Amino acid sequence: MTHRRTVQMVVDSMRHWAALGVDGFRFDLATTLARGELGFDRNSNFLAAVQADPVLSRLKLIAEPWDVGLGGYQVGNFPPPWAEWNDQYRDTVRGFWKGDEA
C-alpha cells in the first residue's frame, strides 16, 4: 500500500462496491494497510485517501488493528472515520458469557 497506483486500485474497488450498496468494510490485519518503511503510519497514503474520499469517508470502516509485523498492535491509532475491532473487549465479553472467573 505504499505505491499510489495500488492505493488507487483499492480505493476504486471500494467505491465500486459502495455504488452497489455496500455500506462498510472490515479489514483483517488492517495495520498492514498503513505500514510504510518505518512501520505503522496513521497518515499513510491509503488512510489519507479513504479519509479524503467523499463516499468512502461516510461508510462504516472497521479495522482489525493488529498484525504480526513490527509495531503491529495499533489499537487506538487509526484516524477518523475508522472504528476498530478491540480484541481485549472481545475477549472480556466472551469470558463473561462463558462464565469465566473475573
Side-chain angles (χ1 to χ4, degrees):
M1 295 300 283
T2 57
H3 193 280
R4 68 181 182 87
R5 288 293 182 199
T6 304
V7 170
Q8 188 63 52
M9 180 187 70
V10 174
V11 167
D12 288 347
S13 297
M14 291 172 67
R15 286 184 65 103
H16 171 78
W17 284 104
L20 295 175
V22 171
D23 68 348
F25 298 92
R26 180 186 184 274
F27 291 90
D28 286 348
L29 307 174
T31 301
T32 60
L33 299 172
R35 180 173 283 118
E37 293 178 19
L38 301 175
F40 179 81
D41 178 8
R42 67 179 285 136
N43 299 310
S44 72
N45 292 340
F46 175 69
L47 296 180
V50 170
Q51 192 171 27
D53 189 278
V55 173
L56 301 180
S57 63
R58 295 189 320 237
L59 299 179
K60 296 170 188 80
L61 300 166
I62 303 170
E64 178 190 54
W66 57 83
D67 67 11
V68 297
L70 180 64
Y73 197 77
Q74 294 295 325
V75 172
N77 291 325
F78 276 75
W82 290 84
E84 297 175 356
W85 181 249
N86 186 319
D87 62 325
Q88 294 172 358
Y89 175 78
R90 174 203 60 209
D91 294 345
T92 300
V93 170
R94 179 188 297 148
F96 172 80
W97 286 112
K98 286 175 42 188
D100 293 351
E101 296 285 326

